[in-house]
Amino acid sequence: MQPKPRANGTTVTEFILLGLVETPELWPVVFILFLLAYMTTVGGNLSILAAVLVEPKLHTPMYFFLGNLSVMDAGCISVTTPSMLGGLLAHRLRVPYGACLTQLFFFHLLAEVDCFLLTAMAYYCFLAICQPLTYSTRMNHSVQRILVASSWACSFSNALTHTVGTSTLHFCGRNVIDNFYCDLPQLFQLSCSNTQINELLLFALSFIMAGTPMALIFTSYIHVAAAVLRIRSAEGRKKAFSTCSSHLTVVAMFYGTGMFNYMRLGSTKLSDKDKAIGIFNTVINPMLNPLIYSLRNFDVQAALWRVLTGRRPVT
């Protein structure tokens, strides 16, 4: 995509990213920290994926979705962090117009797939705890594949809509983005077009594509909580809660940071708090997810150990 020309101004062909810190002396420190975070995130998520693939005990619907989620997390951080690291290394935090829109598309695509996968995992928890007798038929392999395919289809249409909508805007003046990656709120602020329709579209699609999954997750966990409270034994309640506690933690972090990012469209400048939330949303969340899912899960820990040591799983 190429920026559309504007008769009364210079067409913007690239954007300047201010990044996290504007002091060049701190760039090496930021580079090292984010390089370590990137390597940890990609390594951790791909290890989870390998564990799910090689360990027969993890061939269940929850871990099928977890494996897909790990791929999305590794992809999501790969959309934003490598370009920032390259800019820090070259001392040139610039991104061409087309590359900015490409980053925008893939970031929203992968983040939205994350959202739908978390909803599918909540549905699994609901079936496993509230409908155990029909669980195996209502969550068979075909249903799992349909849920993942539907997640990709809905996310693709959402990301494409935002990208095409942004490509219709004119950028003819300022080209400085006060962030370390391209995203909709900052691009709206830089456009010399009327962005009211784009902002309404962002709000409406966010309400549908994120609000609906959040409502489904909330409803699922209301039923799960009611079912857990009906279990008489403390050991039974503990076992039922441990099935979904990791997922609930990830959902809280994902939606908490995501809502903060996109409910502040009127802000003219990002504060340090806004940038910290952005880092949490794009870097910290994907890095913590493997730790959260493996911290209290001995099957995942054992599978990860076998992957790292090269031992074959026990059949």
Side-chain angles (χ1 to χ4, degrees), residues 65-99:
F65 295 130
L66 178 58
N68 282 273
L69 187 69
S70 297
V71 175
M72 295 306 104
D73 285 339
C76 199
I77 193 173
S78 297
V79 170
T80 58
T81 304
S83 60
M84 184 193 71
L85 294 175
L88 289 171
L89 201 61
H91 298 281
R92 186 175 179 272
L93 299 175
R94 298 172 182 269
V95 56
Y97 174 87

Side-chain angles (χ1 to χ4, degrees), residues 146-257:
I146 290 173
L147 288 173
V148 172
S150 301
S151 299
W152 275 98
C154 293
S155 303
F156 179 84
S157 61
N158 177 65
L160 186 63
T161 300
H162 285 311
T163 306
V164 172
T166 305
S167 70
T168 64
L169 298 176
H170 298 293
F171 297 93
C172 55
R174 295 175 302 148
N175 68 337
V176 177
I177 296 177
D178 189 18
N179 208 340
F180 62 96
Y181 64 98
C182 295
D183 204 3
L184 291 171
Q186 291 76 45
L187 290 175
F188 290 166
Q189 292 166 14
L190 294 180
S191 175
C192 33
S193 303
N194 187 338
T195 61
Q196 185 175 5
I197 295 178
N198 296 78
E199 292 182 11
L200 289 174
L201 184 64
L202 174 60
F203 180 80
L205 287 179
S206 296
F207 183 79
I208 296 171
M209 306 294 281
T212 302
M214 184 167 62
L216 293 174
I217 292 172
F218 184 72
T219 303
S220 296
Y221 273 106
I222 288 178
H223 289 284
V224 168
V228 170
L229 291 176
R230 287 196 296 267
I231 299 175
R232 295 183 178 181
S233 68
E235 186 64 27
R237 285 196 298 268
K238 181 179 179 181
K239 182 178 180 181
F241 178 74
S242 66
T243 302
C244 302
S245 58
S246 298
H247 173 257
L248 192 57
T249 303
V250 172
V251 167
M253 294 194 309
F254 179 85
Y255 275 101
T257 54

Side-chain angles (χ1 to χ4, degrees), residues 12-306:
V12 171
T13 59
E14 66 177 10
F15 295 99
I16 300 173
L17 301 177
L18 293 183
L20 299 175
V21 292
E22 299 181 32
T23 307
E25 289 76 12
L26 294 177
W27 288 1
V29 177
V30 175
F31 177 84
I32 293 173
L33 290 176
F34 272 78
L35 178 61
L36 292 175
Y38 177 69
M39 294 173 63
T40 301
T41 302
V42 173
N45 280 287
L46 293 184
S47 295
I48 290 287
L49 175 62
V52 171
L53 291 175
V54 303
E55 177 56 59
K57 288 184 179 180
L58 302 184
H59 292 172
T60 65
M62 174 60 95
Y63 294 110
F64 172 76
F65 295 130
L66 178 58
N68 282 273
L69 187 69
S70 297
V71 175
M72 295 306 104
D73 285 339
C76 199
I77 193 173
S78 297
V79 170
T80 58
T81 304
S83 60
M84 184 193 71
L85 294 175
L88 289 171
L89 201 61
H91 298 281
R92 186 175 179 272
L93 299 175
R94 298 172 182 269
V95 56
Y97 174 87
C100 185
L101 291 186
T102 301
Q103 186 181 65
L104 176 73
F105 171 79
F106 281 104
F107 177 74
H108 281 268
L109 171 66
L110 298 176
E112 194 63 41
V113 174
D114 255 13
C115 181
F116 284 111
L117 287 175
L118 291 174
T119 308
M121 294 167 80
Y123 180 56
Y124 160 82
C125 289
F126 166 75
L127 291 179
I129 295 176
C130 302
Q131 307 286 338
L133 297 179
T134 60
Y135 154 76
S136 59
T137 56
R138 297 173 67 178
M139 188 54 79
N140 56 44
H141 291 297
S142 297
V143 172
Q144 295 170 39
R145 295 189 185 98
I146 290 173
L147 288 173
V148 172
S150 301
S151 299
W152 275 98
C154 293
S155 303
F156 179 84
S157 61
N158 177 65
L160 186 63
T161 300
H162 285 311
T163 306
V164 172
T166 305
S167 70
T168 64
L169 298 176
H170 298 293
F171 297 93
C172 55
R174 295 175 302 148
N175 68 337
V176 177
I177 296 177
D178 189 18
N179 208 340
F180 62 96
Y181 64 98
C182 295
D183 204 3
L184 291 171
Q186 291 76 45
L187 290 175
F188 290 166
Q189 292 166 14
L190 294 180
S191 175
C192 33
S193 303
N194 187 338
T195 61
Q196 185 175 5
I197 295 178
N198 296 78
E199 292 182 11
L200 289 174
L201 184 64
L202 174 60
F203 180 80
L205 287 179
S206 296
F207 183 79
I208 296 171
M209 306 294 281
T212 302
M214 184 167 62
L216 293 174
I217 292 172
F218 184 72
T219 303
S220 296
Y221 273 106
I222 288 178
H223 289 284
V224 168
V228 170
L229 291 176
R230 287 196 296 267
I231 299 175
R232 295 183 178 181
S233 68
E235 186 64 27
R237 285 196 298 268
K238 181 179 179 181
K239 182 178 180 181
F241 178 74
S242 66
T243 302
C244 302
S245 58
S246 298
H247 173 257
L248 192 57
T249 303
V250 172
V251 167
M253 294 194 309
F254 179 85
Y255 275 101
T257 54
M259 289 176 63
F260 188 92
N261 268 352
Y262 295 103
M263 291 296 108
R264 294 170 56 84
L265 288 178
S267 301
T268 57
K269 181 174 172 47
L270 285 183
S271 65
D272 291 338
K273 184 186 296 184
D274 295 322
K275 291 183 179 181
I277 293 295
I279 295 171
F280 205 93
N281 194 37
T282 58
V283 179
I284 304 300
N285 276 356
M287 184 171 63
L288 290 180
N289 284 353
L291 179 63
I292 292 171
Y293 280 109
S294 62
L295 190 61
R296 298 175 60 185
N297 192 313
F298 296 109
D299 287 335
V300 174
Q301 291 176 15
L304 284 173
W305 178 250
R306 279 192 283 272

